[in-house]
DNA sequence: CCTACCGATCGGTAGG
DNA sequence: CCTACCGATCGGTAGG
């Protein structure tokens, strides 16, 4: 066995974290651009600067790569949203909804690749992997449902269908990821404020319409 | 050449319209379920009850099948939306917006497979085919932009960003296609009314908030 | 981390 | 509308 061969086998047994990170970065970008089914392991390997079999030092399969990206993407979004709600007192549900919608829009604009992959490629997961991702997604939906529900219960919002309203709000955020560009006139914060105000006014109790104004954050 | 062979060649030269229709029906369903890239011509042929080469009596290629479905889906939606707006006088832009949002939601709920394919598979089109589809999509967007813009100009709506608002409304409709089920409690019309009211109230001039009510259709 | 390789599947064609 | 077939590409493995 030559020195060269030995070095390469050692490299395979002591995988570099940096390489793994590059694999995930390029996989996310390529999955978002072309879709999971149209991205081959050859594409990913080439982007990273490896041969295909070398990828298997770092990942278990193409599918596990997708699963990891989807789990991280959903978890990160959920954490951001929970932090946003927690920053506003619970007795002001309309303001909580405002920051929730705003943070959701901002996150989707800032992490467009994550959004595209997370919401387009669910059907590509194995049946065994899917429940975990759906569960995370449901937690996000529940956060919106709960906040809207408390605004209704407090009499600050009209008696809207909580689930349908929540789904509409979530769709607006995902939509932003499909058209937002960094070189546009509006920042993610601008867009977040714009949608948050429309959503709150859309369900606001009419008696509050004249005096409601955007929360000072 | 046997009688049997001759019959089959004749059948190929005189394709039945019914067969072509079945191919498009099953292709739409399968593309919506699994995605274009994950649907093989073998899947489609099997669903229709043919062998793969027989498909080519009716279609030019897999890609042309997708293009035809996307062109039809977008054209049909545009026609429905234009009809909805035209049914309301032009001097009532808020009511026009209401019926526009409502019809958009209803159409997406009723034609979920079309929605899924039309908005997910654009990247699968050839560069030569894509402009035609993007042009149809832009006409739909313009219809919303124009209606919202006239509501703003008339002073009935706040001075919102017309494009961002239109994209939000369109996203809500597309979103409905992903979660609506025929066996739910709400009809497409219910959901259409719900979202239409939220959208109109969301941009309504505050001075009109107390007295605005859903248009009688 | 690489070379060499494999079975499966793909869209599509030839020819009748 | 079918049988027979093809070159390209896929995810992944053996072995060092």
């Amino acid at each position: 066995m030559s020195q060269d061969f030995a070095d390469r086998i050692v490299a395979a047994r002591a995988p570099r974290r940096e390489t793994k990170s590059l694999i995930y970065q390029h996989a996310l970008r390529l999955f978002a651009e072309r879709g999971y089914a149209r991205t081959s392991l050859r594409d990913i390997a080439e982007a990273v600067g490896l041969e295909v079999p070398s990828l298997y030092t770092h990942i278990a399969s193409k599918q596990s790569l997708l699963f990891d990206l989807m789990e991280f993407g959903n978890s990160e979004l959920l954490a951001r949203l929970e932090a946003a709600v927690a920053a506003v007192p619970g007795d002001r549900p309309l303001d909580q909804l405002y920051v929730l919608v705003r943070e959701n829009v901002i996150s989707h604009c800032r992490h467009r690749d994550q959004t595209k992959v997370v919401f387009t490629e669910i059907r590509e997961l194995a049946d065994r992997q899917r429940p975990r991702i759906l569960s995370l997604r449901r937690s996000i939906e529940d956060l919106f449902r709960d906040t809207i529900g408390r605004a209704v219960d407090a009499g600050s919002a009209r008696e809207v269908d909580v689930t349908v309203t929540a789904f509409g709000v979530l769709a607006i955020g995902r939509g932003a990821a499909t058209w937002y560009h960094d070189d546009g006139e509006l920042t993610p914060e601008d867009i977040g404020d714009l949608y948050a105000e429309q959503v709150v006014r859309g369900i606001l109790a009419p008696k509050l319409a004249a005096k409601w104004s955007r929360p000072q954050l």
Side-chain angles (χ1 to χ4, degrees), chain A:
Chain A
M1 196 193 297
S2 79
Q3 168 80 43
D4 188 42
F5 267 23
D7 284 352
R8 275 144 70 196
I9 295 170
V10 168
R13 303 275 144 79
R16 296 170 60 213
R17 290 192 61 236
E18 189 189 325
T19 302
K20 185 164 185 173
S21 168
L22 280 174
I23 293 171
Y24 279 90
Q25 282 174 48
H26 286 286
L28 178 65
R29 178 177 59 79
L30 290 165
F31 290 169
E33 271 175 24
R34 317 175 182 178
Y36 175 82
R38 282 279 185 255
T39 303
S40 69
L41 290 177
R42 276 136 182 102
D43 295 333
I44 298 171
E46 190 186 13
V48 178
L50 296 175
E51 296 301 322
V52 173
S54 305
L55 295 176
Y56 284 86
T57 303
H58 304 276
I59 66 169
S61 66
K62 188 189 176 191
Q63 225 174 25
S64 74
L65 197 48
L66 177 63
F67 176 79
D68 291 345
L69 290 170
M70 293 188 71
E71 188 179 40
F72 177 80
N74 270 303
S75 301
E76 194 187 48
L77 177 59
L78 177 59
R80 285 179 208 273
L81 297 175
E82 283 174 338
V85 183
V88 176
D91 61 347
R92 289 158 51 195
L94 279 184
D95 288 356
Q96 285 188 322
L97 179 60
Y98 186 96
V99 298
L100 205 46
V101 174
R102 185 176 187 274
E103 180 58 43
N104 187 52
V105 170
I106 293 171
S107 290
H108 282 306
C109 288
R110 287 257 167 72
H111 307 280
R112 297 190 290 288
D113 286 354
Q114 278 185 37
T115 300
K116 286 173 194 166
V117 172
V118 160
F119 291 94
T120 313
E121 308 292 358
I122 277 214
R123 60 188 166 203
E124 299 285 355
L125 290 174
D127 292 344
R128 179 179 36 80
Q129 301 172 314
R130 207 173 293 110
R132 164 71 180 150
I133 303 300
L134 291 178
S135 156
L136 282 167
R137 185 187 283 201
R138 210 168 300 116
S139 297
I140 293 172
E141 292 165 0
D142 286 344
L143 194 55
F144 281 88
R145 264 201 287 260
D146 175 67
T147 307
I148 295 166
R150 285 185 292 104
V152 172
D153 292 344
S156 334
R158 296 184 292 119
E159 300 219 343
V160 293
D161 184 301
V162 170
T163 299
V164 173
T165 302
F167 286 178
V169 171
L170 288 163
I172 289 174
R174 291 193 304 267
T178 68
W179 56 261
Y180 173 78
H181 286 101
D182 288 327
D183 50 1
E185 290 178 14
L186 300 173
T187 66
E189 286 74 13
D190 293 336
I191 301 165
D193 279 322
L194 201 146
Y195 280 138
E197 177 159 5
Q198 289 189 21
V199 166
V200 170
R201 287 194 182 276
I203 67 168
L204 198 60
K207 60 177 178 180
L208 298 178
K211 63 180 172 191
W212 182 85
S213 63
R214 285 160 48 178
Q216 305 304 318
L217 305 176

